Amino acid sequence: MTGETKNKGLLDRLTLAARTGGISRRDFLNYSAAAGITASAASGLWTTSARAEPKKGGTFKVGIHDGNTSDTHDPGTYLTITMIVLAHTHRSYLTLIETDGSLGPDIATEWSANADATEWTFKLNPNVTFHSGRKMTADDVIASMNHHRGEKSTSAAKALLTDVNDIVKDGDDTIVFKLASGNADLPWLMTDYHLAICPAKDDGSIDWESGDGTGPYKLGDHEFGVGFDLTRHDGWHGEGAHFDAVKLLVLGDPNARQTALVTGDVDAVSLIDLKTMALLERNPNLKIDNVPSASTITMPMLCDVAPFDNKDVRNALKLAMNRDEIIEKIAFGAATKANDFHHSPAMPYWPDDIPQHDYDPDQAKSLLKKAGAEGLSINISSAESIYSGAVDLCVLYAEHAKAAGININVVREPNDGYYSDVWLKKPFCVVAWGARPTPDVMYSLAYKDDAAWNESHWKNPRFNELLLMAKAELNDERRAEMYREMALIANDDGGTLIPFFKNFVYARRNNVQHGGQLAPSWELDGARAASRWWFDA
């Protein structure tokens, strides 16, 4: 058999795999390169193969596990998975996370920086339109960014843009970010789900109230905490959007959510009960998607509230958890063991040589004695909407902690309002974080001393000094060492216990298809299932 014939056979198999969703884009391109196909030709072949099959039509109904009646269309207030999925369905961003985890274009078609990354220029797609019919321009993007800036901003994303001195336009289709110091991650930062593009008002503010956007689907009837009806935006500037309509339903109860999937009342759900994963996998009408990610379960302790204001108490609680048993019995293996710093192996600059906080009740007991906190008794708050098994996680942790002489009382909180009434308010709770693309984004959101989402109220001057230095450092080796030192500081001094990085485990009916690779950034294919998936019949 000649080499040409071998390559032809390999390409035929690759094409079939692409069409049936049996191979990821990244693997397709790698194997094509091995077959002697250029990168550009392979990319074109992927497009014609993997995307030739999607069919138009139908109403895609999705059951989502986390949504509140207190949600709003203000992007600065987005908290729940429902609002994150909705935002990626009816609004757009400058950049996006591709299915292979790489950075790709959304409203911006290209971007570039000056030599020290203190100035970034973004070229905008001139064909973007709002659902109301108006053309999107640079003014809309600038107003949308400024919504999160300034002293009066209450946006959760304010901390991400503190280094931005100004944003100016160069014509209708070009904007320039001018920074106080270099930021090598700025294009990645633009994927943050708060930074959605909304129409500008004459006074430079944005019209977020109407729900107008430039995304693949336009908003119709809706009720926060209940559901949202959307229809395809014919002026959508991107690829996909195969469904005629999308219906997002808030189904906080896991039994109700999975029953709706099994009976066909919904076509997909954002989270399955991991205890039933094996059973659902045997159902021929369902497909389970189990996606490793940098999404994190955290257990923040408010460092300005006793007894968590004592470092030894915090470290005792970190050592009082058997993470291996938690992963086995709560995550059913669908997780990666974590240390107590918010930097995942899925992120760049991962420091893999930091000693693990393993279960050590004797050492935990010794630290409590040192702190004068023997016989410690505390509450921890949790709710099932956070994560499948989030309450059971705390119950099992409480059993582990008994060996260290710690009494943990598990408080089951209501699903509705958890992130507005419990998180950032109660001294010890459980939180689910979506995957962020770089350590700078995660640390700026949740560990920076003045960040709105500094969930443990932790403040460490050296950590914050390193955060600013690493943000501007363009030498990868030096930047990696800075992130390593930050991880050591957070691990030893920080107020956040991190059991594991969770997989995204969700499910769909077997007539719902996707391209074979799923974005690791959020549930439901980076929260973009509505625009990336389709019905096969």
Side-chain angles (χ1 to χ4, degrees):
M1 182 182 291
T2 66
E4 182 178 351
T5 305
K6 288 181 180 178
N7 288 349
K8 176 64 166 60
L10 175 58
L11 286 176
D12 287 344
R13 292 194 297 275
L14 287 173
T15 300
L16 177 61
R19 284 178 174 166
T20 57
I23 191 171
S24 70
R25 182 179 188 274
R26 179 179 291 170
D27 287 345
F28 181 89
L29 296 179
N30 287 340
Y31 284 122
S32 295
I37 303 300
T38 65
S40 60
S43 181
L45 184 59
W46 167 264
T47 300
T48 57
S49 300
R51 300 185 180 181
E53 291 299 309
K55 296 179 173 62
K56 294 280 189 182
T59 297
F60 182 47
K61 293 171 288 186
V62 187
I64 303 180
H65 66 279
D66 175 36
N68 292 336
T69 55
S70 58
D71 288 337
T72 79
H73 287 310
D74 179 354
T77 69
Y78 289 164
L79 273 174
T80 63
I81 299 301
T82 293
M83 294 310 297
I84 293 169
V85 173
L86 177 66
H88 288 83
T89 304
H90 83 118
R91 285 176 168 159
S92 303
Y93 297 80
L94 278 175
T95 55
L96 57 77
I97 305 295
E98 299 281 11
T99 56
D100 63 1
S102 63
L103 186 68
D106 191 347
I107 279 176
T109 57
E110 57 182 283
W111 46 90
S112 59
N114 62 358
D116 61 359
T118 58
E119 190 170 294
W120 282 90
T121 300
F122 290 80
K123 300 288 186 181
L124 307 178
N125 187 330
N127 300 316
V128 179
T129 60
F130 284 101
H131 301 150
S132 56
R134 182 169 66 79
K135 180 183 184 297
M136 189 217 71
T137 69
D139 291 326
D140 301 302
V141 178
I142 292 172
S144 297
M145 295 297 120
N146 286 340
H147 179 68
H148 309 276
R149 300 175 62 224
E151 293 183 6
K152 295 183 179 180
S153 174
T154 58
S155 169
K158 182 177 179 178
L160 296 178
L161 301 176
T162 53
D163 292 334
V164 177
N165 280 342
D166 199 9
I167 311 172
V168 298
K169 67 177 181 178
D170 182 7
D172 281 347
D173 301 322
T174 302
I175 62 168
V176 180
F177 286 79
K178 298 183 178 183
L179 312 180
S181 57
N183 188 340
D185 288 345
L186 188 74
W188 286 95
L189 186 151
M190 292 296 111
T191 67
D192 184 85
Y193 62 86
H194 298 96
L195 303 181
I197 307 305
C198 299
K201 296 180 181 179
D202 291 340
D203 63 0
S205 64
I206 58 169
D207 167 24
W208 58 261
E209 297 90 343
S210 67
D212 197 6
T214 63
Y217 292 88
K218 56 187 177 182
L219 192 61
D221 292 339
H222 61 281
E223 182 178 350
F224 293 110
V226 179
F228 302 81
D229 292 334
L230 304 102
T231 54
R232 187 191 296 123
H233 173 39
D234 292 334
W236 167 237
H237 58 276
E239 299 177 340
H242 306 294
F243 303 112
D244 292 331
V246 175
K247 183 182 288 287
L248 305 179
L249 301 169
V250 180
L251 299 175
D253 179 78
N255 292 326
R257 192 166 58 249
Q258 291 185 187
T259 298
L261 179 68
V262 170
T263 59
D265 289 336
V266 298
D267 304 298
V269 294
S270 60
L271 177 69
I272 65 168
D273 185 342
L274 295 176
K275 294 190 292 291
T276 66
M277 179 166 57
L279 179 63
L280 292 176
E281 285 176 331
R282 294 197 292 269
N283 187 325
N285 297 316
L286 304 180
K287 298 288 186 181
I288 308 300
D289 293 306
N290 191 341
V291 186
S293 77
S295 180
T296 318
I297 296 297
T298 67
M299 302 168 79
M301 303 167 265
L302 296 186
C303 295
D304 52 1
V305 175
F308 309 113
D309 55 351
N310 187 301
K311 170 184 169 181
D312 291 323
V313 170
R314 299 196 296 268
N315 284 335
L317 287 165
K318 294 172 185 176
L319 294 170
M321 173 178 284
N322 185 332
R323 299 168 208 239
D324 292 321
E325 188 175 16
I326 292 285
I327 290 173
E328 176 191 354
K329 294 184 177 179
I330 303 300
F332 294 87
T336 301
K337 189 176 180 179
N339 233 322
D340 295 313
F341 53 90
H342 213 146
H343 188 162
S344 156
M347 293 178 180
Y349 311 109
W350 165 248
D352 59 1
D353 62 341
I354 294 179
Q356 175 68 44
H357 275 160
D358 282 321
Y359 183 47
D360 191 340
D362 291 335
Q363 177 64 12
K365 188 179 295 185
S366 175
L367 288 171
L368 290 177
K369 183 176 181 180
K370 178 184 174 185
E374 292 173 288
L376 180 68
S377 183
I378 55 175
N379 291 343
I380 186 167
S381 294
S382 187
E384 279 304 309
S385 62
I386 302 165
Y387 173 75
S388 176
V391 175
D392 290 341
L393 184 159
C394 294
V395 172
L396 183 55
Y397 175 40
E399 287 297 314
H400 299 157
K402 287 178 181 177
I406 303 171
N407 176 53
I408 299 178
N409 177 47
V410 180
V411 180
R412 182 189 289 267
E413 304 281 1
N415 290 331
D416 187 53
Y418 184 86
Y419 281 104
S420 57
D421 300 333
V422 177
W423 182 55
L424 301 175
K425 292 182 174 64
K426 297 205 174 180
F428 196 19
C429 68
V430 182
V431 180
W433 282 86
R436 263 56 178 199
T438 69
D440 174 68
V441 175
M442 192 65 253
Y443 286 146
S444 295
L445 278 172
Y447 286 73
K448 192 171 182 285
D449 54 2
D450 61 351
W453 284 2
N454 181 350
E455 62 180 354
S456 66
H457 297 182
W458 179 62
K459 296 182 179 181
N460 184 290
R462 177 58 178 167
F463 183 93
N464 284 282
E465 178 185 16
L466 287 164
L467 179 61
L468 292 176
M469 292 168 59
K471 189 188 300 285
E473 180 56 64
L474 298 180
N475 180 286
D476 277 350
E477 186 174 334
R478 289 195 293 269
R479 201 176 192 206
E481 184 53 38
M482 291 174 189
Y483 285 128
R484 182 182 182 278
E485 184 179 347
M486 291 165 68
L488 283 168
I489 293 170
N491 205 44
D492 179 61
D493 184 60
T496 302
L497 192 167
I498 306 178
F500 54 77
F501 298 100
K502 68 184 180 74
N503 290 8
F504 292 129
V505 186
Y506 42 88
R508 55 198 158 92
R509 302 284 298 178
N510 64 1
N511 66 324
V512 179
Q513 302 297 318
H514 56 61
Q517 189 163 14
L518 298 161
S521 48
W522 288 103
E523 290 90 342
L524 297 169
D525 205 351
R528 294 180 181 272
S531 59
R532 289 175 171 167
W533 297 5
W534 64 90
F535 291 127
D536 66 1

